[in-house]
Amino acid sequence: MRIGIDQLGFEYPRQTFRLHIPELSVASGERVAFVGPSGSGKTTLLRLLAGIYLPSAGHLTLGDTAIPELDDAARRRFRITRIGFVFQDFHLIDYLDVEENIRLPYRIHPALKWTSDVARRSEALAEATGIADKRRRRVDELSQGEQQRVAICRALLPEPGLVLADEPTGNLDPANKERILEILFRETRQHGATLVMVTHDRDLLSGFPQVIDFQNFQTPLPE
Amino acid sequence: MIKLLPLIRHYLVYHRGKTVTLTICLTTALYLPLTVHSLVEMLQAEMVRRAEATPIVIGPEGSRFDLVLHALYFHTDAPGTIPRKAAAGVGDSGYAAAVPLFVRYRARGHPIVGTTLEYFPLRGLDIGRGHLPTLLGDCVVGWQVAQRLGLSPGDRLLSDPENVFDLGGAYPLDMRVTGILDPAHSPDDHAVFVDLKTAWIIEGIGHGHDDLDETADPESVLRTEEDRTVASPALRTHTRITPENLASFHFHGDPGEFPLTAILAFPHDPRSGTLLLGRYVGEESRLQALRPREVTEELLGMVVQLKRFFDFHHALMFAVVGLFVALVMLLSLRLRKREAETLFHLGCSRGTLFTLQAAELLILLTVSAVLAGAASWTTVQAARTWVQTLSG
């Protein structure tokens, strides 16, 4: 899924600065990494791309769709069917087991249909991320790394055209970092999905043809 | 909705403490009014049914309620007695068929109803096993009495002593069970029926003892006078009536003055009923004649007043439980803010979020309603016998 941004602005509530991205273009199936200090707007841009936040100015298109112009229901539908989001703090449901957390998008939206193919794919993802033997365990019984992998499986299961990953390797040991990156790369490549990943880990940037530094995207608001 | 059910199930099981507490609260709040309402409805229906089956009750002056409860439900604390000739007077008037009742004693806790054979067809009672009483000392028992005491035709049943410390009181009579009545689902199921004469023997008006002229026991005779023999207290009085001693049973006094505790009158037509009631109006009459339906409605009026109080009480309790549940759900919404945020971030619609919360409450309400319904049904079934007999 192609990403197009032109003069995108976003104002934080009760803050004296705004996020301003003059231009950004990511081709479909491309991999792009967002780097920069904490608070520089990386996660905010991910949320703008997902339609969770709405920009105060500029244009944002995903494929042929101008996300801010969709109504609320259409944005939610677009998000759950076309975008896979791996949240920094996982956003798992603690009273559900691993399998139900992975399946969650299929439970909460009628646009996603649970079929035997999807079930097989869910099993394969769990196997690939090393959590297949924990599918009946509740997520609050898992380690941070295991929870991260559950979140990745949930994001990848609907085969989205755009995968947004907010520091998906932040809680993992080096061996698991490589394993997760490999899964993310393989899955997105296999389905022609665009991967946008926020990271602080500069060692991971070699796998990304395009790296966006957020150092200068914040501008002060006039008094 | 169906897709959401596993999520709801997981949530309710995971927070089982909260689930159980809310279910208990809602079940109790539903159970109490439901049960009281059902019991009062059943009580009203049963009382009206019994009252309608008894057009007129005649008895001594006094409390109308006591007389009706005594005549219809065999409460053994009879308000007083009336002479037997009063029943004959009803029959002779040509207005109604009269069924005399004498109910003062109990057998193993069940009222002994002294009456005539007319009672059974007028109440629609059929003999299930055995036959109706034919001799003094015979009895037929209601279905529940036979069940509870394990009685069959041919068994013996002893009347309860009135007072074990009163030597001059009524002595227990050993009765022969000749029949078991079919279930009638009425107070008759819990009663022991005997002929009036048998009831009077228990009362002590009639008795049987050894023939003083033929007794072999010299201690039985106090003295012999010119034309009579005076018995001593050692004379053996029979407490069991057998074919051998049946002839020795006799009554003292004027049969017309023998006591009854009530008369059931079944008028031949409505006009006869009105005319019969008119005979007992006036200060000179020492009897009262009542329509049980009217007295029962008056009694039920008091029950309805009491029910209104309970209804108000239950409404108050329901409101409190409702507020409690609302508070818990509100707090739950706050605690689940992050969960709602997750679902929103994933793309869940507002409608689905609302459905999820509402369905949880609906499931709790449904489960509570089913539990309350089942518990209420069980209670009502358990209380049915008590309500049908009002025997306490």
Side-chain angles (χ1 to χ4, degrees):
Chain A
M1 185 184 291
R2 186 179 58 79
I3 300 172
I5 287 176
D6 183 25
Q7 302 300 328
L8 190 73
F10 178 77
E11 288 170 16
Y12 298 89
R14 294 180 296 279
Q15 296 290 337
T16 55
F17 56 91
R18 68 195 291 257
L19 179 71
H20 176 248
I21 301 169
E23 191 185 3
L24 176 66
S25 180
V26 181
S28 184
E30 190 66 82
R31 292 198 294 268
V32 60
F34 290 171
V35 295
S38 296
S40 57
K42 306 182 292 295
T43 298
T44 301
L45 182 56
L46 287 192
R47 291 185 175 209
L48 284 163
L49 289 170
I52 296 170
Y53 293 165
L54 287 176
S56 53
H59 299 283
L60 189 162
T61 53
L62 297 179
D64 299 325
T65 308
I67 296 296
E69 288 168 21
L70 296 176
D71 64 24
D72 183 57
R75 267 202 314 279
R76 287 170 193 253
R77 184 188 170 89
F78 188 90
R79 183 155 71 240
I80 204 162
T81 54
R82 308 287 303 276
I83 298 173
F85 204 139
V86 183
F87 298 95
Q88 189 175 9
D89 46 2
F90 321 138
H91 273 296
L92 300 175
I93 306 290
D94 55 3
Y95 59 80
L96 296 178
D97 61 21
V98 168
E99 187 166 294
E100 280 297 334
N101 263 290
I102 295 173
R103 191 177 173 172
L104 191 56
Y106 290 82
R107 291 272 185 221
I108 61 175
H109 207 287
L112 295 174
K113 306 286 181 206
W114 186 259
T115 62
S116 52
D117 282 347
V118 179
R120 272 195 295 276
R121 186 171 153 72
S122 168
E123 283 171 31
L125 277 168
E127 192 70 47
T129 49
I131 52 169
D133 58 334
K134 296 181 172 65
R135 293 172 67 195
R136 293 291 170 199
R137 300 263 298 271
R138 279 206 321 269
V139 290
D140 58 0
E141 296 169 349
L142 304 182
S143 68
Q144 296 264 299
E146 288 168 334
Q147 290 185 29
Q148 182 72 291
R149 282 180 264 168
V150 176
I152 289 169
C153 289
R154 184 181 66 190
L156 294 176
L157 186 60
E159 297 181 344
L162 172 63
V163 175
L164 305 172
D166 198 352
E167 297 201 50
T169 57
N171 298 292
L172 304 179
D173 56 67
N176 271 318
K177 269 184 196 175
E178 278 190 30
R179 189 176 180 184
I180 292 301
L181 269 186
E182 186 191 321
I183 293 164
L184 280 173
F185 288 174
R186 188 183 66 221
E187 288 293 322
T188 49
R189 189 171 54 240
Q190 208 167 348
H191 301 101
T194 306
L195 173 64
V196 179
M197 190 172 99
V198 168
T199 183
H200 284 289
D201 192 343
R202 298 214 170 241
D203 294 342
L204 302 178
L205 297 181
S206 57
F208 291 86
Q210 193 175 359
V211 176
I212 310 289
D213 194 334
F214 273 60
Q215 197 76 47
N216 302 312
F217 284 161
Q218 287 190 350
T219 56
L221 285 168
E223 287 293 321
Chain B
M1 171 72 184
I2 299 291
K3 288 170 83 173
L4 294 174
L5 284 179
L7 301 186
I8 296 166
R9 182 177 62 81
H10 278 286
Y11 178 81
L12 293 177
V13 171
Y14 184 72
H15 296 97
R16 56 182 74 87
K18 183 185 118 182
T19 304
V20 169
T21 306
L22 284 178
T23 306
I24 289 172
C25 288
L26 288 168
T27 301
T28 309
L30 293 170
Y31 166 80
L32 288 176
L34 201 62
T35 305
V36 168
H37 178 76
S38 302
L39 284 176
V40 169
E41 289 271 302
M42 192 164 69
L43 182 75
Q44 285 178 324
E46 290 295 336
M47 286 183 76
V48 167
R49 188 166 69 98
R50 185 73 171 174
E52 283 179 339
T54 318
I56 294 174
V57 168
I58 299 164
E61 282 187 314
S63 164
R64 291 171 301 134
F65 300 132
D66 285 353
L67 177 59
V68 168
L69 288 174
H70 171 76
L72 269 58
Y73 298 97
F74 309 136
H75 285 198
T76 47
D77 45 351
T81 57
I82 54 174
R84 186 193 183 184
K85 62 187 177 196
V90 173
D92 293 344
S93 71
Y95 295 139
V99 178
L101 291 180
F102 182 71
V103 190
R104 281 192 59 182
Y105 299 97
R106 288 180 174 268
R108 308 273 298 270
H110 296 277
I112 298 172
V113 181
T115 186
T116 56
L117 293 177
E118 285 77 35
Y119 182 85
F120 300 96
L122 285 169
R123 279 276 187 239
L125 299 174
D126 294 318
I127 286 282
R129 284 185 290 154
H131 58 81
L132 289 169
T134 51
L135 297 171
L136 270 183
D138 285 355
C139 69
V140 290
V141 298
W143 176 74
Q144 285 281 1
V145 178
Q147 288 282 310
R148 187 175 154 252
L149 304 179
L151 293 174
S152 296
D155 289 344
R156 312 291 307 190
L157 180 61
L158 203 62
S159 67
D160 297 342
E162 191 180 33
N163 184 344
V164 289
F165 302 110
D166 180 8
L167 295 174
Y171 288 89
L173 181 71
D174 189 1
M175 298 174 288
R176 182 173 71 114
V177 177
T178 61
I180 313 292
L181 294 173
D182 276 338
H185 307 295
S186 72
D188 299 316
D189 288 345
H190 294 258
V192 176
F193 294 94
V194 296
D195 182 66
L196 269 178
K197 287 180 180 171
T198 303
W200 287 330
I201 286 172
I202 300 170
E203 171 78 357
I205 297 169
H207 58 212
H209 50 70
D210 289 346
D211 188 334
L212 286 175
D213 298 328
E214 292 176 9
T215 181
D217 183 3
E219 295 288 317
S220 300
V221 178
L222 188 64
R223 64 179 183 275
T224 305
E225 295 175 352
E226 196 173 309
D227 59 345
R228 60 179 180 165
T229 307
V230 179
S232 85
L235 180 71
R236 192 160 63 92
T237 302
H238 303 302
T239 55
R240 174 190 278 207
I241 302 168
T242 62
E244 292 75 32
N245 66 21
L246 180 63
S248 75
F249 276 83
H250 53 277
F251 294 87
H252 297 276
D254 175 8
E257 294 297 327
F258 287 176
L260 300 176
T261 50
I263 300 164
L264 307 183
F266 296 86
H268 303 308
D269 51 66
R271 183 174 170 273
S272 299
T274 309
L275 290 170
L276 182 65
L277 285 170
R279 287 171 62 122
Y280 297 93
V281 178
E283 287 180 7
E284 68 278 5
S285 175
R286 298 182 67 184
L287 304 179
Q288 61 173 332
L290 306 167
R291 286 192 193 276
R293 174 71 202 248
E294 291 167 3
V295 178
T296 301
E297 277 173 358
E298 212 173 319
L299 262 174
L300 289 174
M302 295 180 203
V303 174
V304 168
Q305 290 285 340
L306 196 64
K307 184 177 173 288
R308 280 196 193 127
F309 168 75
F310 278 118
D311 285 347
F312 173 72
H313 185 260
H314 290 146
L316 209 63
M317 191 183 76
F318 202 78
V320 170
V321 170
L323 285 173
F324 170 74
V325 171
L327 178 71
V328 170
M329 296 307 285
L330 203 69
L331 289 174
S332 169
L333 281 179
R334 283 193 175 193
L335 287 171
R336 298 175 73 180
K337 197 176 168 187
R338 187 175 155 76
E339 180 192 333
E341 195 180 277
T342 298
L343 297 176
F344 165 72
H345 282 171
L346 288 175
C348 183
S349 69
R350 286 181 207 279
T352 304
L353 277 171
F354 174 78
T355 305
L356 199 59
Q357 302 281 340
E360 275 171 23
L361 188 59
L362 193 69
I363 286 171
L364 283 178
L365 272 170
T366 307
V367 169
S368 302
V370 169
L371 287 176
S376 179
W377 185 84
T378 308
T379 308
V380 169
Q381 293 309 312
R384 184 174 291 280
T385 306
W386 173 77
V387 170
Q388 280 170 349
T389 61
L390 282 181
S391 61

